[in-house]
Amino acid sequence: MYNERIKIRYIEEKETSTVLPKEYLQRLFLKTEILENEYEKDLCNFNYFELLELIKSQNSTSFESLTVFVSHISLYIDWCIQNNMVFDFQNHCSEISRETVRDLVNNVSMDKRILNRKDVLEIISKCQNPCDQFIILALFEGIQGKDFCEIRNIKYNDIKGNEITLCTNRTVALSDKLVDLAYQSDNELTYYTENKKIPLKENGFVIKTSPNAFKEDDEFQAGRRIYNKVRRALMKMDEVDGIPLTKFIKPNGIFESGKLYFIRNHAKKMNISCIEYVNNCFDEIIKQYGNFDKNSYVFKYQRYLK
């Protein structure tokens, strides 16, 4: 870490006064060290343009994570001001707007995270196991829940035509393809990996478990099993520009891609802009994808809602 003595002092003070793990701050300052060495000064004395360069250098595809990064940098600079370490006694992070942070997101990588329905169908066509196909398409069509509870608790008999009421009491629409995959997954007897075949046991749900699986009484661990199924499935996909698909696409990214596709598709059918559809038909969106903050969503995905 650059100016290590000062950084350690800050970390130790924060460790005793907040719940922020010291490991997080250590990683944060390792990220800033390269530019601090280049500019030959502590980041607390970066000017506005140097801070912009620092934020851009993170190469982040997430507006939220970049906002958190800027917030922690700002807190550190405030602390340095209080301790008379900042030459001009200014926190130039306060000059950086939300719009500026959004524009510093790596849009090239962000674009690769946005899938349309054709992309998702191509991905699942390369998945060997029906349950993996079902999970990926279910995410795209708006089924997720905390720790993937909405997916884990689906029973085939709960499907009524092209609708299902989930464990969270949301009633959502299902495509014919997703209903068919639910049937295939419900009747799946064997799960195939690269090296072996794993027999599955009946548990009453569309997503089966192996006979030697631990009892899923821990919601987080049960959710991680779903997460890892998606990750393993994506790892088998072709690389994009020589980079593994898992570098860009995560389960929540599939869910958010589906939401964007839903908005674009319905707006096109109604011959209105995506922004108009979000503003005028918000209830339709949250019925399928659950509640979310409309203004924050439009702000984050503005360039995809034109």
Side-chain angles (χ1 to χ4, degrees), residues 58-88:
Q58 302 311 301
N59 201 29
S60 176
T61 61
S62 167
F63 169 69
E64 290 85 357
S65 64
L66 209 54
T67 300
V68 171
F69 176 80
V70 174
S71 174
H72 284 299
I73 295 299
S74 184
L75 287 173
Y76 171 70
I77 296 174
D78 281 340
W79 179 85
C80 289
I81 290 173
Q82 293 168 9
N83 287 275
N84 299 314
M85 299 175 193
V86 180
F87 301 145
D88 63 1

Side-chain angles (χ1 to χ4, degrees), residues 66-237:
L66 209 54
T67 300
V68 171
F69 176 80
V70 174
S71 174
H72 284 299
I73 295 299
S74 184
L75 287 173
Y76 171 70
I77 296 174
D78 281 340
W79 179 85
C80 289
I81 290 173
Q82 293 168 9
N83 287 275
N84 299 314
M85 299 175 193
V86 180
F87 301 145
D88 63 1
F89 295 96
Q90 299 293 316
N91 184 343
H92 295 291
C93 267
S94 63
E95 303 166 23
I96 302 173
S97 67
R98 292 177 73 239
E99 289 79 10
T100 299
V101 175
R102 180 191 62 196
D103 293 342
L104 289 172
V105 170
N106 185 334
N107 288 322
V108 173
S109 295
M110 182 71 171
D111 290 345
K112 292 175 182 177
R113 296 173 61 190
I114 305 299
L115 307 172
N116 59 38
R117 188 173 180 85
K118 182 180 177 182
D119 296 327
V120 172
L121 292 178
E122 183 178 351
I123 288 171
I124 66 175
S125 72
K126 297 178 182 178
C127 296
Q128 188 172 8
N129 300 292
C131 66
D132 294 339
Q133 297 178 29
F134 174 78
I135 292 167
I136 291 171
L137 189 56
L139 284 166
F140 190 78
E141 294 193 9
I143 303 173
Q144 187 178 45
K146 188 176 187 301
D147 296 320
F148 304 97
C149 65
E150 291 180 340
I151 293 176
R152 291 187 287 108
N153 288 288
I154 288 178
K155 297 179 180 179
Y156 184 73
N157 290 336
D158 291 339
I159 299 173
K160 308 300 180 187
N162 285 88
E163 279 193 344
I164 186 172
T165 299
L166 303 167
C167 65
T168 52
N169 293 320
R170 291 198 306 122
T171 299
V172 301
L174 310 177
S175 66
D176 290 340
K177 178 68 174 178
L178 188 57
V179 173
D180 179 58
L181 288 175
Y183 177 80
Q184 292 183 48
S185 182
D186 192 53
N187 290 279
E188 195 171 17
L189 301 175
T190 306
Y191 187 87
Y192 295 90
T193 67
E194 288 187 4
N195 304 316
K196 56 184 176 180
K197 298 188 296 184
I198 302 172
L200 299 174
K201 67 177 180 180
E202 178 57 55
N203 60 3
F205 300 102
V206 166
I207 305 300
K208 304 291 188 287
T209 57
S210 62
N212 59 350
F214 292 107
K215 184 179 178 181
E216 295 188 338
D217 53 0
D218 184 309
E219 292 291 306
F220 175 77
Q221 290 301 326
R224 290 303 295 181
R225 275 185 263 276
I226 298 295
Y227 180 93
N228 289 332
K229 278 179 178 290
V230 177
R231 183 169 177 80
R232 283 195 296 268
L234 293 176
M235 286 176 68
K236 299 175 184 177
M237 301 298 107

Side-chain angles (χ1 to χ4, degrees), residues 30 34 39 95 124 131 207-208 210 233 247 253 261 271 289:
L30 287 175
I34 296 173
Y39 296 142
E95 303 166 23
I124 66 175
C131 66
I207 305 300
K208 304 291 188 287
S210 62
K247 174 72 174 178
Y261 178 82
N271 197 29
Y289 286 87

